[in-house]
Amino acid sequence: MPKLLYAIENVITQMSDTEEKPKDQQPKGVFSNLMAEGDWLYSKAEYKKAISSYASALAIKPEDKTCYVGRSRCYLMIGQPQNALKDAEASLKEDKFFFKGLYQKAEALFCMGEFEFALVFYHRGKKLRPQMQEFRLGIQKAQEAIENSVGSPSVKLKIEGDLTFLQKDQENTQPIAAIQNLTKQKKKTTQKIPKSEKTTKQLLGEFYTDKKYLENLLKDEDLVKGKTKGGERLQDVIHGYLSYIDSCTEFRTQEKATGAQEKERKESQDSKRRKDAPLEPAPLLLESLDNIDAALTCGNTEGGLKKAQELMKTVQGWSEKEVPNKKEVLANLHSCIGNALMDLGDMDKAIQHHQKDLELAKECELPDAMCRALENIGRVYAQFGRFTQAIEFWEKVIPLTHGGLEQTWLFHEIGWCHLKLDRHQDARDYGVRSVAAANEIADEKWQMNANVLVAQSELKLGNFESSVSHFETALTQAKLQDDSSAMNAIQKALDEAKQHFPQ
């Protein structure tokens, strides 16, 4: 996780200890302090306390969209995606193009299993902020989830209400096309079942009314000749929505057909079990890994840990003939367990599991798994204040990385550890490398974090002019992201630096 607030922790402490302001100025200062406190608590994994801070801030300024996003993130981390979705939607109430709100809404929908709708909002955010890696990764995981769920009765496409979740403008063309392409790829292998009007109505439910309404709109020749404010022909927009509805119908038709097949398959499996036939490892393994990933992703750390430990015992009892990649599977499970234990505060056991992951990765000659294990060991040491050990393991990762976001993060974290150890020259050097890597991928968030690290290091080294310059760059990046808490903290640090370097 980024350590922006860690890097300027002294500034934030000063913010909370400021003298009492006149009553007419107090609410604004109190709100900023509560926001900063919420962000700080989130970075320390104190999610329930952070929720309380954000709630107090919203009581003062109930329309603040960044505050809603902050609280939404916390709700996801404690396994409350419904509340996370409510806050994400509240952040979009006044500004439907607020990219942080769009990302948070997509994340909440994904954790709720609404993969199709999550994909829509990941695409919408990527169109607004194409340089943000989070949207690209979100699209990837949502597409994979949809592909895995097509033909599986365990994940259903829920269509409730009207079409208002799709804004009537140009931005929806890409998400709709993405969903259509995914469903079409699977439909090629399935026999198409003719749809009667009655069947369509049963499949779509309330959505059927929207379909008829759009079809009637197409009959109005004067209306369909018009254009949206985005410049797209209204006729094309309506056809796009109708195509989406058709894909939903096909999805449900296929799901209904495969549901019968699945029922038959399960009955057959039950019959085999009654005959004491052994369960195939592969299906159990895939299902269990999916359940573990879902639990950990949605903040159910203890549940995910328990599932991973149970699965490890099962896998250890299998032979390599039954599971040819047994060691690789065990390495992944050690990684999952280690991460869960770190979140729960058990450093020693977390290190043990990540070390085992590293041993298996080396034994199987898996470079990516080695990189993963080394990074995780470094994270554990850093989280518990053992910065020298964190640096030792993270520096081993550098030759294994291939640039991009991973290198940006790695240089920043190593530099931050040096800063905590008062090795200001090394902190600055790694900060400069992080800035360069962030600039290469045009990631505004990491450009901001890296510049703050350089600025803090230069301030400690007495290079006040350079410190002011990097703080100003970081402040510009914070403004581009509309991150009010970061702007406040950086501005405080900048003011402090300027006291040493008056202009």
PDB file of all heavy atoms in Angstrom, residues 298-332:
ATOM      1  N   CYS A 298     -13.017  -9.659  -0.509  1.00  0.00           N
ATOM      2  CA  CYS A 298     -14.108  -8.892   0.092  1.00  0.00           C
ATOM      3  C   CYS A 298     -13.895  -8.622   1.585  1.00  0.00           C
ATOM      4  O   CYS A 298     -14.811  -8.199   2.285  1.00  0.00           O
ATOM      5  CB  CYS A 298     -15.440  -9.597  -0.133  1.00  0.00           C
ATOM      6  SG  CYS A 298     -15.919  -9.663  -1.873  1.00  0.00           S
ATOM      7  N   GLY A 299     -12.680  -8.866   2.087  1.00  0.00           N
ATOM      8  CA  GLY A 299     -12.361  -8.472   3.449  1.00  0.00           C
ATOM      9  C   GLY A 299     -12.638  -9.496   4.528  1.00  0.00           C
ATOM     10  O   GLY A 299     -12.442  -9.218   5.708  1.00  0.00           O
ATOM     11  N   ASN A 300     -13.091 -10.691   4.155  1.00  0.00           N
ATOM     12  CA  ASN A 300     -13.356 -11.740   5.150  1.00  0.00           C
ATOM     13  C   ASN A 300     -12.051 -12.514   5.393  1.00  0.00           C
ATOM     14  O   ASN A 300     -11.897 -13.663   4.965  1.00  0.00           O
ATOM     15  CB  ASN A 300     -14.460 -12.667   4.654  1.00  0.00           C
ATOM     16  CG  ASN A 300     -14.834 -13.729   5.678  1.00  0.00           C
ATOM     17  OD1 ASN A 300     -14.398 -13.681   6.839  1.00  0.00           O
ATOM     18  ND2 ASN A 300     -15.624 -14.702   5.276  1.00  0.00           N
ATOM     19  N   THR A 301     -11.112 -11.875   6.094  1.00  0.00           N
ATOM     20  CA  THR A 301      -9.770 -12.435   6.250  1.00  0.00           C
ATOM     21  C   THR A 301      -9.788 -13.748   7.020  1.00  0.00           C
ATOM     22  O   THR A 301      -9.146 -14.730   6.619  1.00  0.00           O
ATOM     23  CB  THR A 301      -8.862 -11.431   6.966  1.00  0.00           C
ATOM     24  OG1 THR A 301      -8.897 -10.183   6.255  1.00  0.00           O
ATOM     25  CG2 THR A 301      -7.428 -11.928   7.006  1.00  0.00           C
ATOM     26  N   GLU A 302     -10.493 -13.779   8.146  1.00  0.00           N
ATOM     27  CA  GLU A 302     -10.519 -14.996   8.960  1.00  0.00           C
ATOM     28  C   GLU A 302     -11.164 -16.159   8.216  1.00  0.00           C
ATOM     29  O   GLU A 302     -10.690 -17.293   8.277  1.00  0.00           O
ATOM     30  CB  GLU A 302     -11.260 -14.723  10.265  1.00  0.00           C
ATOM     31  CG  GLU A 302     -10.502 -13.762  11.192  1.00  0.00           C
ATOM     32  CD  GLU A 302     -11.228 -13.528  12.497  1.00  0.00           C
ATOM     33  OE1 GLU A 302     -12.386 -13.971  12.615  1.00  0.00           O
ATOM     34  OE2 GLU A 302     -10.646 -12.896  13.391  1.00  0.00           O
ATOM     35  N   GLY A 303     -12.236 -15.861   7.470  1.00  0.00           N
ATOM     36  CA  GLY A 303     -12.891 -16.901   6.681  1.00  0.00           C
ATOM     37  C   GLY A 303     -11.996 -17.423   5.585  1.00  0.00           C
ATOM     38  O   GLY A 303     -11.913 -18.638   5.350  1.00  0.00           O
ATOM     39  N   GLY A 304     -11.303 -16.510   4.884  1.00  0.00           N
ATOM     40  CA  GLY A 304     -10.385 -16.921   3.824  1.00  0.00           C
ATOM     41  C   GLY A 304      -9.229 -17.733   4.370  1.00  0.00           C
ATOM     42  O   GLY A 304      -8.794 -18.711   3.751  1.00  0.00           O
ATOM     43  N   LEU A 305      -8.716 -17.339   5.544  1.00  0.00           N
ATOM     44  CA  LEU A 305      -7.616 -18.071   6.173  1.00  0.00           C
ATOM     45  C   LEU A 305      -8.032 -19.501   6.515  1.00  0.00           C
ATOM     46  O   LEU A 305      -7.292 -20.457   6.240  1.00  0.00           O
ATOM     47  CB  LEU A 305      -7.169 -17.340   7.439  1.00  0.00           C
ATOM     48  CG  LEU A 305      -6.114 -18.042   8.305  1.00  0.00           C
ATOM     49  CD1 LEU A 305      -4.827 -18.268   7.521  1.00  0.00           C
ATOM     50  CD2 LEU A 305      -5.844 -17.230   9.567  1.00  0.00           C
ATOM     51  N   LYS A 306      -9.203 -19.637   7.091  1.00  0.00           N
ATOM     52  CA  LYS A 306      -9.698 -20.962   7.469  1.00  0.00           C
ATOM     53  C   LYS A 306      -9.855 -21.862   6.246  1.00  0.00           C
ATOM     54  O   LYS A 306      -9.445 -23.034   6.262  1.00  0.00           O
ATOM     55  CB  LYS A 306     -11.029 -20.839   8.204  1.00  0.00           C
ATOM     56  CG  LYS A 306     -11.567 -22.155   8.732  1.00  0.00           C
ATOM     57  CD  LYS A 306     -12.877 -21.952   9.494  1.00  0.00           C
ATOM     58  CE  LYS A 306     -13.429 -23.288   9.997  1.00  0.00           C
ATOM     59  NZ  LYS A 306     -14.709 -23.109  10.743  1.00  0.00           N
ATOM     60  N   LYS A 307     -10.422 -21.314   5.171  1.00  0.00           N
ATOM     61  CA  LYS A 307     -10.606 -22.102   3.948  1.00  0.00           C
ATOM     62  C   LYS A 307      -9.255 -22.521   3.360  1.00  0.00           C
ATOM     63  O   LYS A 307      -9.087 -23.648   2.880  1.00  0.00           O
ATOM     64  CB  LYS A 307     -11.399 -21.289   2.925  1.00  0.00           C
ATOM     65  CG  LYS A 307     -12.856 -21.052   3.290  1.00  0.00           C
ATOM     66  CD  LYS A 307     -13.530 -20.163   2.239  1.00  0.00           C
ATOM     67  CE  LYS A 307     -14.967 -19.820   2.620  1.00  0.00           C
ATOM     68  NZ  LYS A 307     -15.841 -20.994   2.657  1.00  0.00           N
ATOM     69  N   ALA A 308      -8.285 -21.608   3.384  1.00  0.00           N
ATOM     70  CA  ALA A 308      -6.969 -21.909   2.823  1.00  0.00           C
ATOM     71  C   ALA A 308      -6.254 -22.997   3.635  1.00  0.00           C
ATOM     72  O   ALA A 308      -5.609 -23.896   3.068  1.00  0.00           O
ATOM     73  CB  ALA A 308      -6.113 -20.644   2.789  1.00  0.00           C
ATOM     74  N   GLN A 309      -6.376 -22.924   4.954  1.00  0.00           N
ATOM     75  CA  GLN A 309      -5.745 -23.934   5.810  1.00  0.00           C
ATOM     76  C   GLN A 309      -6.376 -25.307   5.601  1.00  0.00           C
ATOM     77  O   GLN A 309      -5.672 -26.327   5.563  1.00  0.00           O
ATOM     78  CB  GLN A 309      -5.849 -23.506   7.276  1.00  0.00           C
ATOM     79  CG  GLN A 309      -4.971 -22.308   7.623  1.00  0.00           C
ATOM     80  CD  GLN A 309      -5.242 -21.752   9.007  1.00  0.00           C
ATOM     81  OE1 GLN A 309      -6.361 -21.866   9.526  1.00  0.00           O
ATOM     82  NE2 GLN A 309      -4.251 -21.136   9.613  1.00  0.00           N
ATOM     83  N   GLU A 310      -7.698 -25.335   5.451  1.00  0.00           N
ATOM     84  CA  GLU A 310      -8.386 -26.604   5.215  1.00  0.00           C
ATOM     85  C   GLU A 310      -7.980 -27.198   3.866  1.00  0.00           C
ATOM     86  O   GLU A 310      -7.742 -28.411   3.744  1.00  0.00           O
ATOM     87  CB  GLU A 310      -9.904 -26.385   5.258  1.00  0.00           C
ATOM     88  CG  GLU A 310     -10.438 -26.072   6.655  1.00  0.00           C
ATOM     89  CD  GLU A 310     -11.908 -25.689   6.635  1.00  0.00           C
ATOM     90  OE1 GLU A 310     -12.463 -25.517   5.519  1.00  0.00           O
ATOM     91  OE2 GLU A 310     -12.511 -25.555   7.717  1.00  0.00           O
ATOM     92  N   LEU A 311      -7.899 -26.330   2.845  1.00  0.00           N
ATOM     93  CA  LEU A 311      -7.524 -26.817   1.518  1.00  0.00           C
ATOM     94  C   LEU A 311      -6.081 -27.328   1.517  1.00  0.00           C
ATOM     95  O   LEU A 311      -5.774 -28.339   0.862  1.00  0.00           O
ATOM     96  CB  LEU A 311      -7.682 -25.710   0.478  1.00  0.00           C
ATOM     97  CG  LEU A 311      -7.335 -26.089  -0.968  1.00  0.00           C
ATOM     98  CD1 LEU A 311      -8.196 -27.249  -1.456  1.00  0.00           C
ATOM     99  CD2 LEU A 311      -7.498 -24.885  -1.898  1.00  0.00           C
ATOM    100  N   MET A 312      -5.189 -26.665   2.268  1.00  0.00           N
ATOM    101  CA  MET A 312      -3.794 -27.111   2.315  1.00  0.00           C
ATOM    102  C   MET A 312      -3.695 -28.523   2.884  1.00  0.00           C
ATOM    103  O   MET A 312      -2.939 -29.362   2.362  1.00  0.00           O
ATOM    104  CB  MET A 312      -2.962 -26.141   3.157  1.00  0.00           C
ATOM    105  CG  MET A 312      -1.499 -26.571   3.293  1.00  0.00           C
ATOM    106  SD  MET A 312      -0.455 -25.316   4.022  1.00  0.00           S
ATOM    107  CE  MET A 312      -0.247 -24.219   2.630  1.00  0.00           C
ATOM    108  N   LYS A 313      -4.446 -28.820   3.925  1.00  0.00           N
ATOM    109  CA  LYS A 313      -4.443 -30.161   4.500  1.00  0.00           C
ATOM    110  C   LYS A 313      -4.904 -31.187   3.471  1.00  0.00           C
ATOM    111  O   LYS A 313      -4.345 -32.288   3.373  1.00  0.00           O
ATOM    112  CB  LYS A 313      -5.343 -30.217   5.730  1.00  0.00           C
ATOM    113  CG  LYS A 313      -4.806 -29.445   6.931  1.00  0.00           C
ATOM    114  CD  LYS A 313      -5.763 -29.549   8.116  1.00  0.00           C
ATOM    115  CE  LYS A 313      -5.253 -28.764   9.317  1.00  0.00           C
ATOM    116  NZ  LYS A 313      -6.192 -28.821  10.464  1.00  0.00           N
ATOM    117  N   THR A 314      -5.929 -30.806   2.684  1.00  0.00           N
ATOM    118  CA  THR A 314      -6.450 -31.720   1.658  1.00  0.00           C
ATOM    119  C   THR A 314      -5.415 -31.967   0.573  1.00  0.00           C
ATOM    120  O   THR A 314      -5.164 -33.116   0.171  1.00  0.00           O
ATOM    121  CB  THR A 314      -7.730 -31.133   1.035  1.00  0.00           C
ATOM    122  OG1 THR A 314      -8.695 -30.904   2.057  1.00  0.00           O
ATOM    123  CG2 THR A 314      -8.310 -32.079  -0.007  1.00  0.00           C
ATOM    124  N   VAL A 315      -4.780 -30.880   0.087  1.00  0.00           N
ATOM    125  CA  VAL A 315      -3.801 -30.994  -0.992  1.00  0.00           C
ATOM    126  C   VAL A 315      -2.586 -31.805  -0.537  1.00  0.00           C
ATOM    127  O   VAL A 315      -2.034 -32.609  -1.305  1.00  0.00           O
ATOM    128  CB  VAL A 315      -3.361 -29.595  -1.476  1.00  0.00           C
ATOM    129  CG1 VAL A 315      -2.230 -29.705  -2.500  1.00  0.00           C
ATOM    130  CG2 VAL A 315      -4.546 -28.862  -2.097  1.00  0.00           C
ATOM    131  N   GLN A 316      -2.166 -31.610   0.692  1.00  0.00           N
ATOM    132  CA  GLN A 316      -1.011 -32.358   1.205  1.00  0.00           C
ATOM    133  C   GLN A 316      -1.277 -33.862   1.217  1.00  0.00           C
ATOM    134  O   GLN A 316      -0.342 -34.655   1.149  1.00  0.00           O
ATOM    135  CB  GLN A 316      -0.667 -31.867   2.608  1.00  0.00           C
ATOM    136  CG  GLN A 316      -0.005 -30.493   2.619  1.00  0.00           C
ATOM    137  CD  GLN A 316       0.161 -29.916   4.012  1.00  0.00           C
ATOM    138  OE1 GLN A 316      -0.567 -30.290   4.946  1.00  0.00           O
ATOM    139  NE2 GLN A 316       1.087 -28.986   4.172  1.00  0.00           N
ATOM    140  N   GLY A 317      -2.544 -34.253   1.295  1.00  0.00           N
ATOM    141  CA  GLY A 317      -2.898 -35.667   1.286  1.00  0.00           C
ATOM    142  C   GLY A 317      -2.978 -36.263  -0.105  1.00  0.00           C
ATOM    143  O   GLY A 317      -3.094 -37.489  -0.253  1.00  0.00           O
ATOM    144  N   TRP A 318      -2.924 -35.420  -1.144  1.00  0.00           N
ATOM    145  CA  TRP A 318      -2.953 -35.908  -2.522  1.00  0.00           C
ATOM    146  C   TRP A 318      -1.549 -36.256  -2.999  1.00  0.00           C
ATOM    147  O   TRP A 318      -0.559 -35.674  -2.560  1.00  0.00           O
ATOM    148  CB  TRP A 318      -3.560 -34.852  -3.447  1.00  0.00           C
ATOM    149  CG  TRP A 318      -5.043 -34.662  -3.283  1.00  0.00           C
ATOM    150  CD1 TRP A 318      -5.929 -35.565  -2.789  1.00  0.00           C
ATOM    151  CD2 TRP A 318      -5.791 -33.487  -3.589  1.00  0.00           C
ATOM    152  NE1 TRP A 318      -7.198 -35.048  -2.784  1.00  0.00           N
ATOM    153  CE2 TRP A 318      -7.144 -33.761  -3.275  1.00  0.00           C
ATOM    154  CE3 TRP A 318      -5.467 -32.245  -4.116  1.00  0.00           C
ATOM    155  CZ2 TRP A 318      -8.166 -32.839  -3.460  1.00  0.00           C
ATOM    156  CZ3 TRP A 318      -6.483 -31.312  -4.305  1.00  0.00           C
ATOM    157  CH2 TRP A 318      -7.811 -31.610  -3.978  1.00  0.00           C
ATOM    158  N   SER A 319      -1.478 -37.163  -3.944  1.00  0.00           N
ATOM    159  CA  SER A 319      -0.188 -37.517  -4.544  1.00  0.00           C
ATOM    160  C   SER A 319       0.088 -36.584  -5.719  1.00  0.00           C
ATOM    161  O   SER A 319      -0.821 -35.932  -6.242  1.00  0.00           O
ATOM    162  CB  SER A 319      -0.217 -38.961  -5.037  1.00  0.00           C
ATOM    163  OG  SER A 319      -1.138 -39.102  -6.120  1.00  0.00           O
ATOM    164  N   GLU A 320       1.343 -36.546  -6.149  1.00  0.00           N
ATOM    165  CA  GLU A 320       1.694 -35.707  -7.299  1.00  0.00           C
ATOM    166  C   GLU A 320       1.127 -36.293  -8.592  1.00  0.00           C
ATOM    167  O   GLU A 320       1.029 -35.588  -9.595  1.00  0.00           O
ATOM    168  CB  GLU A 320       3.213 -35.554  -7.396  1.00  0.00           C
ATOM    169  CG  GLU A 320       3.792 -34.725  -6.259  1.00  0.00           C
ATOM    170  CD  GLU A 320       5.225 -34.293  -6.521  1.00  0.00           C
ATOM    171  OE1 GLU A 320       5.731 -34.551  -7.634  1.00  0.00           O
ATOM    172  OE2 GLU A 320       5.830 -33.691  -5.625  1.00  0.00           O
ATOM    173  N   LYS A 321       0.760 -37.554  -8.562  1.00  0.00           N
ATOM    174  CA  LYS A 321       0.100 -38.145  -9.719  1.00  0.00           C
ATOM    175  C   LYS A 321      -1.307 -37.578  -9.878  1.00  0.00           C
ATOM    176  O   LYS A 321      -1.776 -37.326 -10.995  1.00  0.00           O
ATOM    177  CB  LYS A 321       0.044 -39.667  -9.562  1.00  0.00           C
ATOM    178  CG  LYS A 321      -0.542 -40.403 -10.771  1.00  0.00           C
ATOM    179  CD  LYS A 321      -0.499 -41.904 -10.578  1.00  0.00           C
ATOM    180  CE  LYS A 321      -1.082 -42.627 -11.795  1.00  0.00           C
ATOM    181  NZ  LYS A 321      -1.062 -44.101 -11.620  1.00  0.00           N
ATOM    182  N   GLU A 322      -1.984 -37.385  -8.733  1.00  0.00           N
ATOM    183  CA  GLU A 322      -3.332 -36.804  -8.763  1.00  0.00           C
ATOM    184  C   GLU A 322      -3.286 -35.312  -9.104  1.00  0.00           C
ATOM    185  O   GLU A 322      -4.140 -34.801  -9.827  1.00  0.00           O
ATOM    186  CB  GLU A 322      -4.013 -36.998  -7.405  1.00  0.00           C
ATOM    187  CG  GLU A 322      -4.335 -38.442  -7.058  1.00  0.00           C
ATOM    188  CD  GLU A 322      -4.875 -38.582  -5.655  1.00  0.00           C
ATOM    189  OE1 GLU A 322      -4.146 -38.235  -4.696  1.00  0.00           O
ATOM    190  OE2 GLU A 322      -6.028 -39.028  -5.510  1.00  0.00           O
ATOM    191  N   VAL A 323      -2.279 -34.611  -8.569  1.00  0.00           N
ATOM    192  CA  VAL A 323      -2.121 -33.166  -8.811  1.00  0.00           C
ATOM    193  C   VAL A 323      -0.674 -32.936  -9.245  1.00  0.00           C
ATOM    194  O   VAL A 323       0.215 -32.760  -8.416  1.00  0.00           O
ATOM    195  CB  VAL A 323      -2.435 -32.349  -7.536  1.00  0.00           C
ATOM    196  CG1 VAL A 323      -2.360 -30.855  -7.842  1.00  0.00           C
ATOM    197  CG2 VAL A 323      -3.796 -32.710  -6.979  1.00  0.00           C
ATOM    198  N   PRO A 324      -0.408 -32.934 -10.558  1.00  0.00           N
ATOM    199  CA  PRO A 324       0.967 -32.813 -11.056  1.00  0.00           C
ATOM    200  C   PRO A 324       1.691 -31.552 -10.577  1.00  0.00           C
ATOM    201  O   PRO A 324       2.889 -31.563 -10.366  1.00  0.00           O
ATOM    202  CB  PRO A 324       0.786 -32.803 -12.586  1.00  0.00           C
ATOM    203  CG  PRO A 324      -0.525 -33.498 -12.812  1.00  0.00           C
ATOM    204  CD  PRO A 324      -1.378 -33.121 -11.645  1.00  0.00           C
ATOM    205  N   ASN A 325       0.939 -30.436 -10.409  1.00  0.00           N
ATOM    206  CA  ASN A 325       1.554 -29.187  -9.974  1.00  0.00           C
ATOM    207  C   ASN A 325       1.304 -28.950  -8.478  1.00  0.00           C
ATOM    208  O   ASN A 325       1.060 -27.830  -8.036  1.00  0.00           O
ATOM    209  CB  ASN A 325       1.015 -28.007 -10.779  1.00  0.00           C
ATOM    210  CG  ASN A 325      -0.485 -27.860 -10.641  1.00  0.00           C
ATOM    211  OD1 ASN A 325      -1.187 -28.815 -10.286  1.00  0.00           O
ATOM    212  ND2 ASN A 325      -0.990 -26.665 -10.899  1.00  0.00           N
ATOM    213  N   LYS A 326       1.378 -30.025  -7.717  1.00  0.00           N
ATOM    214  CA  LYS A 326       1.067 -29.964  -6.290  1.00  0.00           C
ATOM    215  C   LYS A 326       1.904 -28.917  -5.561  1.00  0.00           C
ATOM    216  O   LYS A 326       1.384 -28.141  -4.745  1.00  0.00           O
ATOM    217  CB  LYS A 326       1.286 -31.347  -5.667  1.00  0.00           C
ATOM    218  CG  LYS A 326       1.060 -31.391  -4.159  1.00  0.00           C
ATOM    219  CD  LYS A 326       1.312 -32.791  -3.607  1.00  0.00           C
ATOM    220  CE  LYS A 326       1.208 -32.819  -2.084  1.00  0.00           C
ATOM    221  NZ  LYS A 326       1.423 -34.176  -1.531  1.00  0.00           N
ATOM    222  N   LYS A 327       3.197 -28.859  -5.841  1.00  0.00           N
ATOM    223  CA  LYS A 327       4.076 -27.918  -5.136  1.00  0.00           C
ATOM    224  C   LYS A 327       3.717 -26.465  -5.468  1.00  0.00           C
ATOM    225  O   LYS A 327       3.781 -25.582  -4.599  1.00  0.00           O
ATOM    226  CB  LYS A 327       5.529 -28.199  -5.493  1.00  0.00           C
ATOM    227  CG  LYS A 327       6.046 -29.507  -4.909  1.00  0.00           C
ATOM    228  CD  LYS A 327       7.501 -29.740  -5.259  1.00  0.00           C
ATOM    229  CE  LYS A 327       7.996 -31.049  -4.645  1.00  0.00           C
ATOM    230  NZ  LYS A 327       9.415 -31.327  -4.994  1.00  0.00           N
ATOM    231  N   GLU A 328       3.347 -26.231  -6.707  1.00  0.00           N
ATOM    232  CA  GLU A 328       2.947 -24.876  -7.098  1.00  0.00           C
ATOM    233  C   GLU A 328       1.659 -24.461  -6.392  1.00  0.00           C
ATOM    234  O   GLU A 328       1.511 -23.318  -5.945  1.00  0.00           O
ATOM    235  CB  GLU A 328       2.767 -24.802  -8.616  1.00  0.00           C
ATOM    236  CG  GLU A 328       2.474 -23.402  -9.127  1.00  0.00           C
ATOM    237  CD  GLU A 328       2.386 -23.352 -10.644  1.00  0.00           C
ATOM    238  OE1 GLU A 328       2.746 -24.366 -11.296  1.00  0.00           O
ATOM    239  OE2 GLU A 328       1.953 -22.316 -11.169  1.00  0.00           O
ATOM    240  N   VAL A 329       0.713 -25.400  -6.279  1.00  0.00           N
ATOM    241  CA  VAL A 329      -0.539 -25.126  -5.571  1.00  0.00           C
ATOM    242  C   VAL A 329      -0.261 -24.828  -4.106  1.00  0.00           C
ATOM    243  O   VAL A 329      -0.801 -23.876  -3.533  1.00  0.00           O
ATOM    244  CB  VAL A 329      -1.503 -26.321  -5.694  1.00  0.00           C
ATOM    245  CG1 VAL A 329      -2.725 -26.114  -4.802  1.00  0.00           C
ATOM    246  CG2 VAL A 329      -1.936 -26.513  -7.139  1.00  0.00           C
ATOM    247  N   LEU A 330       0.614 -25.629  -3.497  1.00  0.00           N
ATOM    248  CA  LEU A 330       0.958 -25.407  -2.091  1.00  0.00           C
ATOM    249  C   LEU A 330       1.648 -24.059  -1.893  1.00  0.00           C
ATOM    250  O   LEU A 330       1.423 -23.378  -0.884  1.00  0.00           O
ATOM    251  CB  LEU A 330       1.857 -26.536  -1.592  1.00  0.00           C
ATOM    252  CG  LEU A 330       1.182 -27.894  -1.385  1.00  0.00           C
ATOM    253  CD1 LEU A 330       2.216 -28.972  -1.074  1.00  0.00           C
ATOM    254  CD2 LEU A 330       0.137 -27.817  -0.262  1.00  0.00           C
ATOM    255  N   ALA A 331       2.483 -23.669  -2.855  1.00  0.00           N
ATOM    256  CA  ALA A 331       3.148 -22.362  -2.765  1.00  0.00           C
ATOM    257  C   ALA A 331       2.122 -21.233  -2.751  1.00  0.00           C
ATOM    258  O   ALA A 331       2.219 -20.291  -1.956  1.00  0.00           O
ATOM    259  CB  ALA A 331       4.119 -22.190  -3.936  1.00  0.00           C
ATOM    260  N   ASN A 332       1.124 -21.342  -3.628  1.00  0.00           N
ATOM    261  CA  ASN A 332       0.062 -20.335  -3.670  1.00  0.00           C
ATOM    262  C   ASN A 332      -0.717 -20.287  -2.362  1.00  0.00           C
ATOM    263  O   ASN A 332      -1.078 -19.203  -1.879  1.00  0.00           O
ATOM    264  CB  ASN A 332      -0.892 -20.625  -4.831  1.00  0.00           C
ATOM    265  CG  ASN A 332      -0.394 -20.096  -6.156  1.00  0.00           C
ATOM    266  OD1 ASN A 332      -0.506 -18.912  -6.443  1.00  0.00           O
ATOM    267  ND2 ASN A 332       0.183 -20.972  -6.959  1.00  0.00           N
TER     268      ASN A 332
END
